C-alpha cells in the first residue's frame, strides 16, 4: 500500500485542490484532516468549475470514499450548503461516499460572531482571519467544551453541552458588548440541522483501519500551508491548527504509514491577510502576477498579496513538514517575464539569515536576498511533458529543487486537470 499526504508549503492557496483532484484518480480514499470551511479549493474539470471548502477534493471523482476527519472543525450549515451546491452541479454525494468523523468538533454561529468581533477590535493589528469561527471553535475543542458531531444524536446531552458552552461564551459576549446567546435558540438550531448531518457521521478511524488492512491507497488532504501552521508558521498571523503532514495521522485516526509527503508550492509566492511577507511586490510585476494568476481567495474573494518565490521559506517548510517532493504549480503565470528572482536568504539588521526567525520583529524586518534568473518568452501553459518546456524554464525549476532541498514530483501548467507533468509518481513509493 502507498499513501500520500498533500500539504501546502507556503501560506496556503498553492493549488492543492487541483493536485489532490489529479492524484485522487489513483487513490481509493481521500481524507481532509485539519482546518475548516476557511479553506478554499477550486477544481476545474473540463468546462465545470467546483468550489470546495469542507468537502475533500476527491469528492468530484465517482467511486471514491471521501472522509472529513476528526481534526477538522465542521460548520454543519456550511457542510449541508456545500453538499447541496455540489449535488446541483451533478456530483453524487451520499452517506456511502462521504463520511464525517463522529468525534469532530462543530463550528457554531456564535464562533463566527466572536471571531469577527475580535478582529474588529484589533484595528490595525488584525490577524486576517476569514471571520468564520475557525479559531474560536478550536479554542472550545482544546478547552473541552466543544459540541461534537456525535452530540447531535443525544438531545438531552446536547442541551447540557450547550448550557455549559454558553457559560463561557456569554461571558465573552458581555465583554465584547454583544447580545448573549439563548440556549434554547442554539439547541433548536442544532436539532434542526442534526438529521441532515448525522447520516454522514461515522467512525472514520475504523474506516481508515479497514482501508489499511485491505491495501487501499489513502490520500490525505491538508488545508492552508506550512507557514500558517499554529506552531511552525508566522505566529500570530497563522491559522488555528497544525497544517504540516504530522497532523494527518492525529487528525484522522489513521495508524498506518502516511507514505510520501507532497508539498504544494507556486512558482511564485502569495499570501492572504496580514503578517510578514519578505518577497512581497507592490509594483507592476506584483500586480501582474495577481491578475494573471487570478489571485483572489476562493472563500473570501480577497485579493492575495504576490511576490517572488521564497526558497528559504519553502526549504524551512520541507524540513518542518517532512516533505519528500513538491508539486510546482502556476508555472505558466511566469511566462513572458524578462527576469525572475528567487529569495535565497534574508538580511536582518546587517546579519544574514538562511531561515525565517520565529521572533515577529525579525520576521517583519527581513529583507530578501535575491538570485536572478533569465525569464522565458515561450509559453508553458498546458505543457504536459518536459519536452514542452523552454530550456530556461527547466533551468529555473532545477535551481528551485537545489535551493529547497526537495525534488519536483509534479508540475502544473494550468488549472485544467490534465495539464500536469508527472516527474515522480507519489503513489509509487
Amino acid at each position: 500500500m502507498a499513501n500520500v499526504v498533500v500539504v501546502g508549503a507556503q501560506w496556503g492557496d498553492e493549488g492543492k485542490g487541483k493536485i489532490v483532484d489529479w492524484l485522487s484518480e489513483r487513490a481509493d480514499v481521500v481524507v481532509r484532516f485539519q482546518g475548516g470551511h476557511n479553506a478554499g479549493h477550486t477544481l476545474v474539470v473540463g468546462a465545470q468549475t467546483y468550489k470546495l471548502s469542507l468537502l475533500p477534493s476527491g469528492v468530484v471523482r465517482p467511486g471514491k470514499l471521501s472522509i472529513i476527519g476528526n481534526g477538522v472543525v465542521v460548520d454543519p450549515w456550511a457542510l449541508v450548503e456545500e453538499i447541496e451546491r455540489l449535488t446541483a452541479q451533478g456530483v453524487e454525494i451520499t452517506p456511502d461516499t462521504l463520511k464525517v468523523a463522529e468525534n469532530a468538533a462543530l463550528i457554531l454561529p456564535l464562533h463566527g460572531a466572536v471571531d469577527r468581533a475580535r478582529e474588529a477590535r484589533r484595528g490595525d493589528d488584525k490577524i486576517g482571519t476569514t471571520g468564520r469561527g475557525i479559531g474560536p471553535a478550536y479554542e472550545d475543542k482544546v478547552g473541552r467544551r466543544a459540541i461534537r458531531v456525535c452530540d447531535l444524536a443525544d438531545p438531552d446531552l446536547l442541551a447540557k453541552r450547550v448550557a455549559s458552552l454558553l457559560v463561557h461564551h456569554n461571558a465573552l459576549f458581555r465583554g465584547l458588548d454583544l447580545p448573549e446567546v439563548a440556549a434554547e435558540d442554539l439547541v433548536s438550531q442544532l436539532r434542526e440541522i442534526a438529521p441532515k448531518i448525522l447520516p454522514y457521521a461515522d467512525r472514520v478511524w475504523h474506516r481508515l483501519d479497514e482501508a489499511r488492512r485491505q491495501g487501499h491507497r489513502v490520500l490525505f488532504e491538508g488545508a492552508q500551508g506550512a507557514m500558517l501552521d499554529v506552531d511552525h508558521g508566522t505566529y500570530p498571523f497563522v491559522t488555528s491548527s497544525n497544517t504540516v503532514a504530522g497532523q494527518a495521522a492525529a487528525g484522522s485516526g489513521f495508524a498506518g504509514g502516511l507514505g510520501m509527503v507532497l508539498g504544494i508550492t507556486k512558482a511564485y509566492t502569495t499570501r492572504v491577510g496580514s503578517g510578514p511577507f519578505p518577497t512581497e511586490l507592490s509594483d507592476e510585476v506584483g500586480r501582474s502576477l495577481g491578475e494573471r494568476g487570478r489571485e483572489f481567495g476562493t472563500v473570501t474573494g480577497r485579493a492575495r498579496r504576490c511576490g517572488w518565490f521564497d526558497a528559504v521559506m519553502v526549504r524551512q517548510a520541507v524540513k518542518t513538514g517532512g516533505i519528500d517532493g513538491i508539486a510546482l504549480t502556476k508555472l505558466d503565470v511566469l511566462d513572458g517575464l524578462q527576469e525572475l528572482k528567487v529569495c535565497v536568504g534574508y538580511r536582518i539588521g546587517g546579519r544574514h539569515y538562511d531561515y525565517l526567525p520565529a521572533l515577529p520583529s525579525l520576521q517583519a524586518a527581513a529583507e530578501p536576498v535575491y538570485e536572478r534568473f533569465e525569464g522565458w518568452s515561450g509559453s508553458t501553459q498546458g505543457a504536459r511533458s518536459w519536452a514542452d518546456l523552454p530550456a530556461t524554464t527547466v533551468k529555473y525549476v532545477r535551481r528551485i529543487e537545489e535551493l529547497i532541498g526537495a525534488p519536483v514530483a509534479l508540475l502544473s501548467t494550468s488549472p485544467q486537470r490534465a495539464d500536469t507533468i508527472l516527474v515522480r509518481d507519489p503513489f509509487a513509493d
Side-chain angles (χ1 to χ4, degrees):
M1 177 184 64
N3 303 316
V4 176
V5 183
V6 174
V7 293
Q10 295 166 309
W11 277 297
D13 308 309
E14 302 97 346
K16 293 184 293 296
K18 175 197 165 171
I19 300 300
V20 171
D21 170 59
W22 191 85
L23 288 171
S24 65
E25 182 179 14
R26 297 166 169 79
D28 302 296
V29 184
V30 184
V31 186
R32 269 285 307 274
F33 60 84
Q34 49 78 218
H37 66 309
N38 56 337
H41 292 160
T42 300
L43 309 181
V44 180
V45 183
Q48 188 72 268
T49 298
Y50 304 101
K51 294 185 180 293
L52 309 178
S53 293
L54 269 172
L55 293 171
S57 297
V59 76
V60 302
R61 293 272 190 183
K64 310 296 180 181
L65 176 62
S66 294
I67 288 178
I68 297 176
N70 55 275
V72 178
V73 282
V74 179
D75 182 321
W77 296 274
L79 178 57
V80 169
E81 185 278 329
E82 192 171 334
I83 290 173
E84 292 175 346
R85 175 163 43 82
L86 268 290
T87 299
Q89 290 185 271
V91 179
E92 184 179 5
I93 303 173
T94 71
D96 291 325
T97 61
L98 173 66
K99 304 294 181 183
V100 180
E102 62 181 1
N103 53 336
L106 297 180
I107 300 175
L108 308 174
L110 58 83
H111 291 131
V114 169
D115 203 357
R116 293 185 292 273
R118 285 175 173 171
E119 276 288 88
R121 293 203 169 205
R122 286 190 178 105
D124 293 337
D125 294 325
K126 285 183 173 63
I127 299 296
T129 75
T130 60
R132 299 199 168 198
I134 311 304
Y138 273 117
E139 290 175 36
D140 280 348
K141 177 179 178 177
V142 175
R144 293 167 292 185
R145 54 180 173 264
I147 310 296
R148 302 191 299 172
V149 172
C150 57
D151 297 336
L152 298 175
D154 188 335
D156 293 334
L157 175 64
L158 181 63
K160 292 178 182 177
R161 292 270 197 237
V162 167
S164 176
L165 179 73
L166 292 182
V167 170
H168 172 82
H169 277 281
N170 278 334
L172 277 180
F173 284 131
R174 289 192 293 271
L176 293 168
D177 296 322
L178 294 174
E180 296 184 27
V181 175
E184 57 271 20
D185 291 343
L186 181 53
V187 170
S188 177
Q189 288 177 286
L190 289 168
R191 287 179 176 172
E192 182 181 356
I193 198 71
K196 298 180 180 180
I197 294 295
L198 286 173
Y200 299 97
D202 201 0
R203 297 174 296 153
V204 303
W205 58 267
H206 178 66
R207 293 283 179 181
L208 289 170
D209 183 61
E210 287 184 329
R212 179 181 66 83
R213 293 176 183 278
Q214 293 169 10
H216 290 167
R217 291 174 167 179
V218 182
L219 178 59
F220 296 90
E221 176 183 5
Q224 289 91 34
M227 301 313 291
L228 291 176
D229 186 279
V230 71
D231 288 306
H232 302 289
T234 49
Y235 191 90
F237 302 100
V238 293
T239 194
S240 299
S241 61
N242 289 111
T243 62
V244 295
Q247 176 63 17
S252 64
F254 185 75
L258 292 177
M260 180 182 180
V261 178
L262 182 68
I264 316 301
T265 176
K266 285 175 182 169
Y268 51 101
T269 309
T270 64
R271 177 166 199 169
V272 172
S274 306
F277 187 168
T279 66
E280 183 173 12
L281 297 171
S282 56
D283 57 9
E284 184 57 36
V285 175
R287 288 188 290 274
S288 175
L289 290 175
E291 291 170 2
R292 297 173 64 180
R294 299 177 184 176
E295 297 297 352
F296 298 93
T298 302
V299 171
T300 64
R302 291 183 293 182
R304 297 173 185 140
R305 301 154 64 190
C306 298
W308 294 118
F309 186 86
D310 191 334
V312 182
M313 182 179 72
V314 176
R315 183 171 65 241
Q316 195 160 319
V318 166
K319 294 178 185 298
T320 60
I323 292 172
D324 300 303
I326 66 166
L328 192 65
T329 67
K330 293 200 170 184
L331 189 63
D332 55 302
V333 175
L334 300 181
D335 289 353
L337 293 176
Q338 291 185 345
E339 183 183 65
L340 306 175
K341 298 179 183 178
V342 171
C343 176
V344 296
Y346 306 122
R347 187 175 293 106
I348 307 174
R351 177 183 168 189
H352 182 84
Y353 286 76
D354 62 358
Y355 65 96
L356 187 62
L359 189 63
S361 58
L362 294 180
Q363 292 178 354
E367 297 178 5
V369 176
Y370 286 122
E371 187 171 310
R372 287 173 164 77
F373 298 82
E374 178 186 355
W376 52 87
S377 57
S379 174
T380 64
Q381 187 171 14
R384 298 184 183 181
S385 73
W386 279 107
D388 296 332
L389 298 176
T392 46
T393 307
V394 175
K395 183 178 179 181
Y396 179 76
V397 173
R398 292 306 189 196
R399 182 56 176 153
I400 283 178
E401 290 180 313
E402 293 173 355
L403 290 170
I404 66 173
V408 170
L410 294 167
L411 278 167
S412 173
T413 57
S414 94
Q416 290 291 339
R417 178 185 277 174
D419 292 340
T420 305
I421 301 173
L422 176 63
V423 182
R424 169 189 176 192
D425 186 353
F427 280 116
D429 294 332

